C-alpha cells in the first residue's frame, strides 16, 4: 500500500464517494456510540476472568481505554475512516479475553496458557487480516493476479464460515446432550476416554474458530480505502476543493 501513488489511489474514488465521506463526518455520533457500546460489552465479557487472574481483565481495560481515547480525540474525518478497523479490534479483544475464562488449568500456576493464547490469538488474527488486505490490493491494483487473489479470498471466507457453522452446531449439540457430557467418566479403562479425546479436539477447533470469528467484521476494502484517504488526505482535500474545516471537521 505504501508504494501506491496519489494518482493510483485517486483513480479508485469519484466525486460522489468523496462527497458522501465528507457528509458522513458531519455526524459521528453513531460511530462513537457503536464503539463505546462494543467496548463496554468487551469489558463485560472479560470480567469473569477476575476470578482466574485479575491481570487479564486489567489488560483488556487498558487496551480498550487506549483505543477509545485515540478514537474519541481524533478528528471527525478520521472517526469515519478508522471506524471499521477499530470496530474489528474491539470485538477481537472481546473474543480473545472472553475465551481466557475457559483456559484455566490447575497445573498452570503462572498462567502461561492464557497469556500465550492472548499473544497467539492477536498474531493469528492480524496475520489473517494482513492476508485479506494483501488479497484486496492485488484484486484492485494488480489485474494480472486477480484470478489467484480471488481464489485466496474465497478460501479465507470459506474457512471462517466453516468455523462459524461449527460453533453454532456445537452450541446446539451441547444444549441437547449436556446431561450425557456432564456424566461421562474419563479413564483409560473405558470407551469414555476416547470420547473425551474427540471432545477435546472439538473444543480446540471451537477455540480457534471463535478467536477468528471477529475477522468477519473486518472489511479489507474499507480499511485500504481509508488508509489511502488518510495517507493522501491533503492531496484529496485540495483536489476536490475543500477547506481544512470542511474536510477534517472540528473535534
Amino acid at each position: 500500500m505504501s508504494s501506491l501513488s496519489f494518482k493510483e489511489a485517486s483513480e479508485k474514488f469519484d466525486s460522489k464517494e468523496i462527497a458522501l465521506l465528507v457528509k458522513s463526518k458531519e455526524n459521528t455520533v453513531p460511530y462513537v456510540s457503536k464503539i463505546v457500546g462494543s467496548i463496554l460489552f468487551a469489558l463485560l465479557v472479560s470480567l469473569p476472568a477476575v476470578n482466574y487472574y485479575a491481570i487479564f481483565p486489567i489488560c483488556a481495560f487498558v487496551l480498550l481505554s487506549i483505543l477509545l481515547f485515540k478514537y474519541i480525540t481524533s478528528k471527525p474525518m478520521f472517526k469515519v475512516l478508522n471506524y471499521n478497523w477499530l470496530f474489528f479490534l474491539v470485538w477481537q479483544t472481546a473474543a480473545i479475553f472472553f475465551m481466557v475464562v475457559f483456559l484455566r488449568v490447575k497445573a498452570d500456576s503462572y498462567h502461561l496458557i492464557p497469556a500465550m493464547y492472548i499473544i497467539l490469538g492477536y498474531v493469528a488474527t492480524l496475520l489473517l487480516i494482513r492476508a485479506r488486505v494483501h488479497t484486496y490490493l492485488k484484486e484492485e491494483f494488480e489485474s494480472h493476479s486477480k484470478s489467484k487473489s480471488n481464489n485466496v479470498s474465497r478460501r479465507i471466507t470459506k474457512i471462517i464460515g466453516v468455523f462459524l457453522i461449527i460453533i453454532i452446531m456445537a452450541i446446539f449439540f451441547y444444549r441437547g446432550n449436556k446431561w450425557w457430557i456432564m456424566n461421562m467418566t474419563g479413564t483409560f479403562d473405558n470407551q469414555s476416554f476416547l470420547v473425551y479425546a474427540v471432545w477435546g479436539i472439538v473444543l480446540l477447533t471451537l477455540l480457534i474458530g471463535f478467536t477468528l470469528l471477529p475477522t468477519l467484521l473486518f472489511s479489507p476494502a474499507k480499511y485500504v480505502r481509508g488508509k489511502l484517504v488518510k495517507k493522501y488526505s491533503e492531496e484529496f482535500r485540495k483536489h476536490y476543493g475543500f477547506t481544512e474545516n470542511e474536510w477534517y471537521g472540528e473535534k
Side-chain angles (χ1 to χ4, degrees):
M1 193 186 306
S2 59
S3 62
L4 295 175
S5 65
F6 171 68
K7 181 180 179 181
E8 291 175 306
S10 62
E11 290 175 352
K12 299 300 177 180
F13 296 87
D14 55 36
S15 57
K16 291 183 179 179
E17 187 173 359
I18 294 297
L20 181 61
L21 177 62
V22 173
K23 185 177 180 180
S24 297
K25 68 113 176 67
E26 294 176 0
N27 181 21
T28 59
V29 174
Y31 296 96
V32 176
S33 298
K34 290 179 181 178
I35 292 297
V36 171
S38 299
I39 286 176
L40 291 176
F41 178 81
L43 291 174
L44 180 64
V45 300
S46 68
L47 279 180
V50 171
N51 296 324
Y52 178 23
Y53 197 46
I55 189 63
F56 295 121
I58 291 175
C59 288
F61 175 78
V62 172
L63 177 60
L64 292 170
S65 296
I66 293 173
L67 292 176
L68 180 60
F69 176 77
K70 292 187 66 175
Y71 189 71
I72 290 180
T73 56
S74 63
K75 293 182 178 180
M77 174 63 76
F78 298 133
K79 283 185 173 71
V80 177
L81 295 176
N82 292 335
Y83 170 73
N84 181 257
W85 169 244
L86 191 65
F87 190 68
F88 151 71
L89 279 180
V90 171
W91 281 92
Q92 186 64 68
T93 300
I96 289 176
F97 282 90
F98 172 71
M99 295 307 294
V100 166
V101 180
F102 302 97
L103 296 177
R104 181 171 185 175
V105 178
K106 291 183 179 180
D108 183 23
S109 58
Y110 295 101
H111 311 288
L112 295 178
I113 292 177
M116 289 300 298
Y117 162 72
I118 291 172
I119 296 172
L120 292 176
Y122 277 113
V123 170
T125 53
L126 292 178
L127 286 176
L128 179 56
I129 290 303
R130 181 180 179 183
R132 293 182 62 192
V133 168
H134 185 66
T135 296
Y136 176 79
L137 287 171
K138 281 193 172 184
E139 290 176 346
E140 291 295 310
F141 297 97
E142 299 180 25
S143 58
H144 65 278
S145 59
K146 188 172 183 179
S147 177
K148 182 179 179 180
S149 298
N150 279 332
N151 290 332
V152 173
S153 182
R154 281 195 295 268
R155 289 194 195 101
I156 294 173
T157 303
K158 286 180 180 179
I159 290 173
I160 300 174
V162 168
F163 279 139
L164 178 59
I165 292 172
I166 290 174
I167 290 173
I168 295 173
M169 290 177 64
I171 291 173
F172 282 106
F173 177 79
Y174 178 76
R175 287 179 61 88
N177 298 274
K178 186 176 180 179
W179 63 271
W180 170 70
I181 295 171
M182 298 300 292
N183 288 283
M184 287 191 305
T185 56
T187 66
F188 287 94
D189 299 327
N190 57 53
Q191 294 181 351
S192 293
F193 179 76
L194 178 60
V195 175
Y196 264 111
V198 173
W199 188 244
I201 294 174
V202 171
L203 289 178
L204 181 60
T205 304
L206 288 175
L207 176 65
I208 297 172
F210 194 88
T211 302
L212 296 178
L213 196 57
T215 59
L216 292 174
L217 299 173
F218 176 78
S219 170
K222 291 180 180 179
Y223 176 79
V224 170
R225 296 170 80 81
K227 281 290 186 181
L228 290 175
V229 173
K230 286 178 65 179
K231 180 181 179 181
Y232 297 109
S233 183
E234 280 298 289
E235 288 85 347
F236 274 108
R237 180 183 70 79
K238 293 176 182 178
H239 180 75
Y240 288 99
F242 290 100
T243 65
E244 289 190 6
N245 187 58
E246 290 174 333
W247 181 255
Y248 295 107
E250 299 178 358
K251 288 186 179 180

